[in-house]
Amino acid sequence: MRPARRPLMGIALALVFAFLLAAPFGFKPYGIFILSMWAVMTIAAIGLNLTLGYAGQVSLAQAAFVGIGAYITAYLTTRGWPFWSTYLLAGVSCFAIGWLLGYPALRVQHHYLAFVTLAFNTLIYLIFRNEEWLTGGIYGISNVPRPDVAGWSMNGPRQFYYFCLAHLALVSLATWWLIRSPWGRAFVALRENPVRALSLGVDTRRYTLMAFALGAGLGGISGALYAPLVQFVDPTPFALGLSLNLLLMVVVGGSGYFFGPFLGAMVAVLLPEWLRFTEGFYLMGYALLVMALMVLCPAGLLGLLDRLTKPAGKSAEISATRSEAAVQGEGAR
Amino acid sequence: MTAVLSVRDLRKSFGGIVAVDGVSFEVNEGEILGIIGPNGSGKSTLFNCILGQLRPSAGEVHLDGRSVTGLRPCDLNRLGVSRTFQLLQIFPQLTARENLILAGQEHRGSMLSRLMGPSDAGLSPSADRMLAFFRLEHVADEPAGGLSYGQQKLLDAAMAFMAGPRLALLDEPAGGVNLTMLASLRERLKAMNLEQGSTFVVIEHNMEFVMALCNRILVLAAGRIIAAGGPAEIRRDPKVIEAYLGH
Amino acid sequence: MADILQLLLAGLATGAIYALVAIGFTLLWQTSQTINFAQGEFVMLPAFFVLVGMSYFGLSFWPAVAVGAVVSVVVLGFLFKRLIVDPVIRHGVLPLVIATIGLAIFFKEAVREFYGADAQPFPPVVAAIDVTVFGVALAVQSLVVLAISIVAVAALQLFLNHTLTGRCMQASAQNPTVARLLGIPVERMILYTFLINAALVTLASILITPIYLAKFTNGEWLGLYAFIAAIVGGFNQVRGALVGGLLLGVIDNFAAAYLSSQYRMAIPLLILIVVILVRPQGLLGRVEERTV
């Protein structure tokens, strides 16, 4: 991070944080609900950003993990289990399932992984929809309770919003720690140049699997918060559409940037709401904006910011080296 | 005394094209072995087969007497073998120091200690020492993508030595480096060889560089070794001259 | 026995349609590294162009089909390439994937908004009658669909392998740099691929919509089947897409008939997973070797 930008970043972050804390007092319950949804989706997007943005693996299964987390939580809390146990169980199970799925799946190249995860997501959705005895089928599980924290009920929209925000903060801190650690460096290496990384002793397979499983685990945690937020869990939200939407969030925000998921989730969750005034056209408008965004700044919003604020010489040189290497790579083959 | 590296009857074909055609050689401890040959003689393919980027079609590779044929590059690296690539491959987004820390971090501790421990895996001092050795201290905190080509080449070489390898395979370390840097590079490599007592195998096109750096030289043409010996012998060998001129 | 033959024929017919879509998908990938996540919507759309021609402009079926085809090829071939693929592909495959996801949403919502959410009937190419062959009643529609698809694929193969333009297209796909050096207008070759894909999806649309009715959500599963057919057959081979499509159509039909309809989709998905994990190059594909 450029030293000159740090104070600016700090101020921007402080402002955003203050806004997030104060927001519920200015919004109606529906608005607060949407903000909570943003926080919950950001957690899932942070998970996908680990898998995609840092480890370079395209996963279309994130919605399935959110769903698994949501159903575990809904099923158990409606049967009296305390929230914390279901929350942990959701995270750990999804981590484990991610590991099991990733173990064979990551042996294939990128675009094949996208299809395997796509198939996995759709299969899980089918199970959600068909296994009524477990998931309630299309009728779902209703009346999912909201947890109590040390005696305080999280029932009200404002309280639950702060609850989600607190989890987002925890997840962000944990992810920041991960990225700063040698693991983060290994992730960058295996994303940028897996062949070189391997020759330096980086076990790319193990790190990729880790990134994938961690991403899945975060998806599960997101789901564990989704269930008490909406208080009703049915299969429809966890179809392929959500996986594509989460992918969109990561890329639009800026794949591989720390704050990318936050921005991306804002775009994906808040923008359609703001566009609602266009009535039936809001999804079309949203789709057009997304396409325009990809044409104009394919590196995502933060990528665009990076390009605008970086001194011209440096970024040109870095991209020149990269494209040079890419071209030479082609020629050598 | 077992050779550090022993290659026997290595063969690699791509469909109908035989890139490496039954190559055998040994490298002894502390040696600097040079491999030269015209373009397309199979030098890089040979490296790739030894180092696990490619699976050899036939033949064996032994490190200190134990078979390492077909091992993954990262496993080979942990056994003490490192390499550089013909095409410069540093990580442009990371700083020079971070590139070196990356090169060393997988050789210390476990996955867990890397997660829980300090951000630099305790390698900042050694990285700084390596930077000083290659006279790159002044660019330690610069993103590697912003360094000059010669500096990047030095960094690339430095990364290969970060983990104190037993055997370093350098693929055209002098490629594209300007004359002033060349002497410096050659001198640093010689010094590294003496200081760490490690063994080098160097592929090069630059004759002067190779003759001055290496103790022994192999000449590869059309996937086979056509000559082996000291620099002076090789320079006079008629087969070698023909191989180069015949192309 | 009669049932099995009928199922087989129906399966081959729908499979042939999947094959058309899968071939287009594979061609796009081979020539320009484009993964078109909107391919399903591309198949959904032309039928609606035809319906618009019939209901708003009062055209009868075949003229509407002609107009619809032209519009489809222009929009889904030419405009798609110029407006979306060209500006985005320079920056990598992933932004293009996102853009095509956006395009899919756009088409879906546009149809829902401007035409309606209800399923619309679509006139079949031939009437739904049966013909009796060796005592088994076979649907003429299935036979015709199969025949048309085979002719289309054969024509495409002839074009690609036996005309100069076709061979230039193949060269551009295999090695664009060398093709350029040889004077082949690679950009134009790539444009042709997009136009061919648009033609293929239009044909597929006309053939499949009578069976499943015209609905704005058709793209969702059509796209999925196209991906599966392409991958199972072998992502880098046109022949593979054909085999994959036929296989998928037959298996899907039999699964629907003999297994629970709830898990009908699961069979193709499981096949996809197994194929990718066991033989990622597909049944007919070539292994993509990774070298330094």
XYZ file of all heavy atoms in Angstrom, chain A residues 244-301:
440
model
N -23.656 -17.271 -9.051
C -23.266 -16.330 -10.098
C -23.234 -14.916 -9.542
O -22.354 -14.119 -9.864
C -24.244 -16.417 -11.274
C -24.222 -17.743 -12.029
C -25.303 -17.784 -13.084
C -22.866 -17.954 -12.671
N -24.197 -14.620 -8.681
C -24.253 -13.295 -8.080
C -23.041 -13.026 -7.195
O -22.478 -11.931 -7.199
C -25.538 -13.176 -7.254
C -26.200 -11.840 -7.459
O -25.810 -11.074 -8.324
N -27.191 -11.548 -6.630
N -22.646 -14.034 -6.418
C -21.472 -13.878 -5.551
C -20.215 -13.704 -6.397
O -19.343 -12.889 -6.069
C -21.337 -15.085 -4.615
C -22.327 -15.097 -3.462
C -22.358 -16.463 -2.794
C -21.960 -14.038 -2.432
N -20.146 -14.455 -7.488
C -19.019 -14.302 -8.411
C -18.975 -12.874 -8.937
O -17.929 -12.231 -8.996
C -19.178 -15.293 -9.570
C -18.018 -15.365 -10.546
C -16.801 -15.939 -9.872
C -18.390 -16.218 -11.749
N -20.151 -12.392 -9.288
C -20.281 -11.031 -9.759
C -19.780 -10.048 -8.709
O -19.042 -9.117 -9.015
C -21.769 -10.778 -10.054
C -22.162 -9.650 -10.953
C -23.340 -10.092 -11.783
C -22.548 -8.442 -10.138
N -20.179 -10.287 -7.447
C -19.765 -9.389 -6.372
C -18.252 -9.299 -6.285
O -17.677 -8.226 -6.150
C -20.297 -9.886 -5.017
C -21.761 -9.676 -4.811
S -22.208 -10.257 -3.160
C -23.813 -10.949 -3.501
N -17.614 -10.452 -6.357
C -16.160 -10.470 -6.213
C -15.491 -9.762 -7.382
O -14.585 -8.951 -7.198
C -15.644 -11.924 -6.101
C -14.131 -11.957 -6.151
C -16.137 -12.560 -4.827
N -15.951 -10.038 -8.602
C -15.286 -9.446 -9.766
C -15.593 -7.962 -9.883
O -14.706 -7.161 -10.169
C -15.704 -10.181 -11.060
C -15.089 -9.521 -12.266
C -15.288 -11.622 -10.986
N -16.844 -7.593 -9.655
C -17.201 -6.180 -9.767
C -16.482 -5.346 -8.712
O -16.003 -4.256 -8.971
C -18.738 -6.002 -9.648
C -19.109 -4.578 -9.336
C -19.410 -6.460 -10.916
N -16.401 -5.862 -7.498
C -15.700 -5.121 -6.451
C -14.214 -5.023 -6.751
O -13.575 -4.025 -6.457
N -13.692 -6.060 -7.351
C -12.257 -6.082 -7.605
C -11.690 -7.360 -7.033
O -11.463 -7.478 -5.843
N -11.487 -8.343 -7.909
C -11.039 -9.655 -7.460
C -9.629 -9.568 -6.887
O -8.726 -9.032 -7.513
C -11.082 -10.600 -8.662
O -10.466 -11.792 -8.360
N -9.435 -10.093 -5.698
C -8.110 -10.081 -5.098
C -7.812 -8.853 -4.276
O -6.755 -8.758 -3.647
N -8.711 -7.891 -4.256
C -8.536 -6.739 -3.375
C -9.242 -7.024 -2.064
O -10.321 -7.605 -2.054
C -9.148 -5.484 -4.004
C -8.349 -4.950 -5.159
C -8.631 -5.353 -6.466
C -7.314 -4.040 -4.970
C -7.909 -4.872 -7.532
C -6.597 -3.552 -6.039
C -6.891 -3.976 -7.320
O -6.182 -3.500 -8.382
N -8.661 -6.541 -0.952
C -9.242 -6.857 0.343
C -10.665 -6.332 0.472
O -11.545 -7.001 0.987
C -8.365 -6.288 1.459
C -8.837 -6.678 2.818
C -8.565 -7.937 3.325
C -9.583 -5.805 3.584
C -9.025 -8.311 4.577
C -10.035 -6.169 4.841
C -9.755 -7.427 5.337
N -10.899 -5.084 0.026
C -12.217 -4.487 0.201
C -13.150 -4.759 -0.979
O -14.275 -4.287 -0.993
C -12.092 -2.976 0.446
C -11.519 -2.656 1.797
C -10.229 -2.175 1.914
C -12.258 -2.885 2.946
C -9.681 -1.913 3.161
C -11.733 -2.617 4.195
C -10.441 -2.135 4.307
N -12.669 -5.526 -1.945
C -13.477 -5.849 -3.114
C -14.854 -6.396 -2.757
O -15.870 -5.907 -3.248
N -14.896 -7.457 -1.913
C -16.199 -8.052 -1.582
C -17.176 -7.058 -0.962
O -18.381 -7.136 -1.216
C -15.847 -9.152 -0.575
C -14.418 -9.431 -0.786
C -13.795 -8.188 -1.267
N -16.648 -6.128 -0.156
C -17.540 -5.157 0.490
C -18.249 -4.320 -0.571
O -19.463 -4.132 -0.542
C -16.733 -4.221 1.407
C -16.124 -4.912 2.588
C -14.964 -5.656 2.459
C -16.705 -4.808 3.840
C -14.403 -6.306 3.545
C -16.140 -5.435 4.940
C -14.991 -6.188 4.795
N -17.431 -3.820 -1.513
C -17.991 -3.000 -2.593
C -18.915 -3.816 -3.480
O -20.003 -3.380 -3.846
C -16.864 -2.423 -3.448
C -16.262 -1.116 -2.971
C -15.149 -0.693 -3.902
C -17.328 -0.040 -2.915
N -18.447 -5.000 -3.840
C -19.222 -5.852 -4.738
C -20.575 -6.214 -4.151
O -21.591 -6.169 -4.844
N -20.570 -6.536 -2.847
C -21.841 -6.884 -2.210
C -22.758 -5.679 -2.170
O -23.979 -5.793 -2.335
C -21.595 -7.406 -0.798
N -22.153 -4.513 -1.987
C -22.952 -3.286 -2.002
C -23.650 -3.131 -3.344
O -24.838 -2.849 -3.414
C -22.038 -2.075 -1.775
C -22.604 -1.090 -0.790
S -21.437 0.192 -0.351
C -21.163 0.966 -1.922
N -22.886 -3.346 -4.413
C -23.459 -3.236 -5.748
C -24.562 -4.264 -5.948
O -25.654 -3.948 -6.395
C -22.368 -3.410 -6.823
C -22.979 -3.540 -8.192
C -21.400 -2.246 -6.781
N -24.286 -5.513 -5.581
C -25.234 -6.580 -5.879
C -26.469 -6.545 -4.993
O -27.549 -6.934 -5.424
C -24.551 -7.932 -5.746
N -26.315 -6.095 -3.735
C -27.459 -6.102 -2.827
C -28.202 -4.779 -2.854
O -29.427 -4.730 -2.913
C -27.004 -6.410 -1.378
C -28.159 -6.248 -0.411
C -26.443 -7.811 -1.305
N -27.441 -3.680 -2.823
C -28.091 -2.381 -2.684
C -28.574 -1.805 -4.004
O -29.624 -1.186 -4.079
C -27.134 -1.389 -2.011
C -26.660 -1.794 -0.612
C -25.707 -0.767 -0.046
C -27.829 -1.994 0.325
N -27.783 -2.034 -5.063
C -28.135 -1.414 -6.340
C -29.512 -1.827 -6.852
O -30.299 -0.960 -7.243
C -27.056 -1.728 -7.378
C -27.031 -0.858 -8.627
C -26.907 0.599 -8.262
C -25.882 -1.261 -9.536
N -29.834 -3.125 -6.847
C -31.183 -3.486 -7.315
C -32.277 -2.821 -6.492
O -33.318 -2.446 -7.032
C -31.216 -5.007 -7.155
C -29.804 -5.426 -7.202
C -29.036 -4.321 -6.579
N -32.032 -2.657 -5.180
C -33.030 -1.997 -4.332
C -33.216 -0.554 -4.765
O -34.331 -0.053 -4.866
C -32.602 -2.045 -2.862
C -32.504 -3.453 -2.300
C -33.836 -4.176 -2.319
O -34.870 -3.537 -2.059
O -33.855 -5.380 -2.629
N -32.075 0.154 -5.021
C -32.174 1.550 -5.432
C -32.838 1.688 -6.786
O -33.446 2.697 -7.094
C -30.796 2.181 -5.465
C -30.216 2.379 -4.116
C -30.900 2.503 -2.943
C -28.843 2.449 -3.781
N -30.028 2.656 -1.903
C -28.764 2.624 -2.378
C -27.660 2.404 -4.528
C -27.539 2.739 -1.713
C -26.458 2.532 -3.861
C -26.403 2.699 -2.466
N -32.678 0.656 -7.605
C -33.246 0.718 -8.944
C -34.719 0.340 -8.969
O -35.356 0.370 -10.001
C -32.475 -0.195 -9.900
C -31.074 0.272 -10.282
C -30.396 -0.807 -11.124
C -31.133 1.564 -11.067
N -35.228 -0.045 -7.787
C -36.616 -0.521 -7.761
C -37.602 0.495 -8.290
O -38.673 0.125 -8.770
C -37.032 -0.917 -6.334
C -36.794 -2.369 -6.081
C -37.546 -2.866 -4.858
N -36.902 -4.051 -4.335
C -37.067 -5.269 -4.842
N -37.854 -5.462 -5.839
N -36.435 -6.297 -4.315
N -37.216 1.777 -8.252
C -38.148 2.782 -8.731
C -38.435 2.606 -10.217
O -39.419 3.112 -10.731
C -37.622 4.194 -8.445
C -36.391 4.559 -9.239
C -36.506 5.144 -10.484
C -35.127 4.306 -8.734
C -35.384 5.480 -11.217
C -34.003 4.649 -9.452
C -34.136 5.232 -10.709
N -37.547 1.888 -10.913
C -37.783 1.654 -12.336
C -38.764 0.521 -12.562
O -38.999 0.097 -13.682
C -36.468 1.293 -13.057
O -35.910 0.137 -12.414
C -35.494 2.436 -13.003
N -39.347 0.048 -11.457
C -40.347 -1.023 -11.511
C -39.766 -2.279 -12.150
O -38.744 -2.755 -11.773
C -41.599 -0.543 -12.289
C -42.079 0.818 -11.867
C -43.298 0.776 -10.996
O -44.270 0.094 -11.384
O -43.285 1.409 -9.935
N -40.444 -2.780 -13.199
C -40.038 -4.071 -13.751
C -38.662 -4.077 -14.389
O -38.077 -5.125 -14.614
N -38.138 -2.895 -14.669
C -36.880 -2.843 -15.413
C -35.645 -2.902 -14.528
O -34.537 -2.824 -15.042
C -36.820 -1.553 -16.241
C -37.922 -1.455 -17.247
C -39.080 -0.749 -16.971
C -37.795 -2.092 -18.469
C -40.103 -0.680 -17.895
C -38.820 -2.021 -19.402
C -39.974 -1.307 -19.121
N -35.850 -3.034 -13.198
C -34.676 -2.833 -12.347
C -33.597 -3.887 -12.566
O -32.414 -3.584 -12.569
C -35.059 -2.714 -10.865
C -35.322 -4.015 -10.152
C -34.313 -4.611 -9.410
C -36.571 -4.617 -10.179
C -34.534 -5.792 -8.729
C -36.800 -5.791 -9.511
C -35.786 -6.383 -8.787
O -36.014 -7.553 -8.122
N -34.012 -5.130 -12.809
C -32.995 -6.158 -13.050
C -32.304 -5.942 -14.385
O -31.114 -6.188 -14.532
C -33.620 -7.549 -12.999
C -33.572 -8.219 -11.623
C -34.211 -9.595 -11.692
C -32.145 -8.341 -11.112
N -33.054 -5.451 -15.361
C -32.440 -5.175 -16.659
C -31.408 -4.063 -16.525
O -30.317 -4.142 -17.081
C -33.507 -4.736 -17.677
C -34.233 -5.889 -18.323
S -35.566 -5.314 -19.375
C -34.656 -4.479 -20.648
N -31.816 -3.019 -15.773
C -30.887 -1.923 -15.557
C -29.626 -2.412 -14.853
O -28.503 -2.056 -15.214
N -29.838 -3.256 -13.856
C -28.720 -3.827 -13.100
C -27.797 -4.608 -14.023
O -26.578 -4.455 -13.980
C -29.299 -4.714 -12.001
C -28.302 -5.523 -11.237
C -27.350 -4.913 -10.433
C -28.304 -6.908 -11.316
C -26.438 -5.655 -9.723
C -27.403 -7.659 -10.608
C -26.465 -7.023 -9.808
O -25.567 -7.776 -9.116
N -28.409 -5.445 -14.880
C -27.611 -6.256 -15.807
C -26.818 -5.360 -16.754
O -25.636 -5.599 -17.021
C -28.509 -7.198 -16.594
N -27.453 -4.300 -17.264
C -26.758 -3.386 -18.170
C -25.576 -2.729 -17.470
O -24.490 -2.596 -18.038
C -27.719 -2.302 -18.671
C -28.605 -2.687 -19.856
C -29.625 -1.600 -20.128
C -27.761 -2.926 -21.095
N -25.805 -2.323 -16.223
C -24.726 -1.686 -15.473
C -23.557 -2.629 -15.287
O -22.396 -2.235 -15.408
C -25.240 -1.211 -14.109
C -25.927 0.146 -14.132
C -26.666 0.382 -12.829
C -24.912 1.251 -14.359
N -23.885 -3.886 -14.970
C -22.813 -4.872 -14.767
C -22.010 -5.072 -16.046
O -20.782 -5.093 -16.030
C -23.407 -6.218 -14.293
C -22.367 -7.316 -14.387
C -23.883 -6.089 -12.862
N -22.716 -5.176 -17.175
C -22.006 -5.362 -18.446
C -21.131 -4.149 -18.750
O -19.977 -4.289 -19.177
C -23.007 -5.593 -19.576
C -23.630 -6.973 -19.543
S -24.562 -7.343 -21.033
C -26.112 -6.575 -20.649
N -21.714 -2.952 -18.514
C -20.941 -1.731 -18.757
C -19.702 -1.706 -17.880
O -18.604 -1.347 -18.310
C -21.817 -0.506 -18.491
N -19.868 -2.132 -16.642
C -18.758 -2.160 -15.703
C -17.648 -3.065 -16.204
O -16.463 -2.733 -16.115
C -19.270 -2.661 -14.351
C -18.524 -2.185 -13.118
C -18.592 -0.691 -13.016
C -19.113 -2.823 -11.888
N -18.009 -4.206 -16.748
C -17.006 -5.145 -17.242
C -16.302 -4.603 -18.470
O -15.128 -4.854 -18.705
C -17.647 -6.499 -17.549
C -17.948 -7.318 -16.313
S -16.490 -7.689 -15.339
C -16.708 -6.586 -13.972
N -17.046 -3.839 -19.275
C -16.415 -3.257 -20.470
C -15.462 -2.135 -20.060
O -14.357 -2.007 -20.568
C -17.499 -2.717 -21.432
C -16.870 -1.892 -22.529
C -18.302 -3.860 -22.022
N -15.907 -1.320 -19.108
C -15.120 -0.142 -18.746
C -14.024 -0.420 -17.735
O -12.937 0.113 -17.840
C -16.065 0.952 -18.213
C -17.063 1.467 -19.242
C -18.071 2.375 -18.583
C -16.334 2.195 -20.358
N -14.312 -1.193 -16.714
C -13.246 -1.507 -15.758
C -13.302 -2.973 -15.352
O -13.811 -3.317 -14.299
C -13.254 -0.591 -14.555
S -14.845 -0.408 -13.736
N -12.753 -3.833 -16.212
C -12.803 -5.263 -15.960
C -12.036 -5.699 -14.725
O -12.225 -6.810 -14.244
C -12.170 -5.860 -17.223
C -11.454 -4.752 -17.877
C -12.072 -3.484 -17.448
N -11.159 -4.835 -14.222
C -10.457 -5.203 -12.993
C -11.302 -4.876 -11.781
O -10.824 -4.934 -10.657
C -9.120 -4.478 -12.921
N -12.561 -4.515 -12.005
C -13.442 -4.206 -10.883
C -13.301 -2.773 -10.435
O -12.447 -2.023 -10.902
N -14.136 -2.371 -9.500
C -14.147 -0.993 -9.037
C -12.821 -0.621 -8.372
O -12.269 0.447 -8.614
C -15.307 -0.773 -8.053
C -16.693 -0.845 -8.691
C -17.767 -0.857 -7.623
C -16.897 0.314 -9.641
